[in-house]
Amino acid sequence: MKPALGILILPGLLSCAAGGINERHGGDLIGLDSFALAARYGTPATYQYQGDYLQLNYGSAAVGCQLVVLVDQQQRVAGWASSGSMCEKRVR
């Protein structure tokens, strides 16, 4: 079930690249554990469960950067996407 869910969610999440979403292939967030993610970005604004994954939502359109991160059951970043004009400066 895990691979099937990832195949359904990640492409949909990352397909927003054509609509102004900044996507980095093999970005430096993939594989990062959730503790390092929290140290880097703090507490997410919202979160929700996506099957076997936890979706963490950071930032907002008001501050110019939204970051969506999928964390797997081993608490590692499985995928991410960002949007907004300020993201290039913040997502690194």
Side-chain angles (χ1 to χ4, degrees):
M1 182 72 173
K2 286 183 194 178
L5 183 61
I7 290 170
L8 293 174
I9 292 176
L10 288 177
L13 187 66
L14 298 176
S15 68
C16 298
I21 301 286
N22 298 316
E23 176 187 354
R24 296 174 211 255
H25 295 284
D28 59 348
L29 294 178
I30 301 296
L32 193 67
D33 70 40
S34 61
F35 297 106
L37 184 69
R40 190 181 224 175
Y41 295 108
T43 305
T46 61
Y47 68 91
Q48 64 185 11
Y49 291 100
Q50 298 286 344
D52 291 335
Y53 295 92
L54 179 63
Q55 176 182 322
L56 306 174
N57 304 302
Y58 293 92
S60 71
V63 297
C65 182
Q66 292 177 289
L67 175 65
V68 177
V69 179
L70 289 179
V71 178
D72 65 16
Q73 290 183 342
Q74 288 78 35
Q75 297 186 359
R76 293 182 309 236
V77 174
W80 67 280
S82 65
S83 68
S85 60
M86 299 299 290
C87 284
E88 281 297 317
K89 298 173 187 164
R90 292 183 176 194
V91 180
R92 290 194 181 197

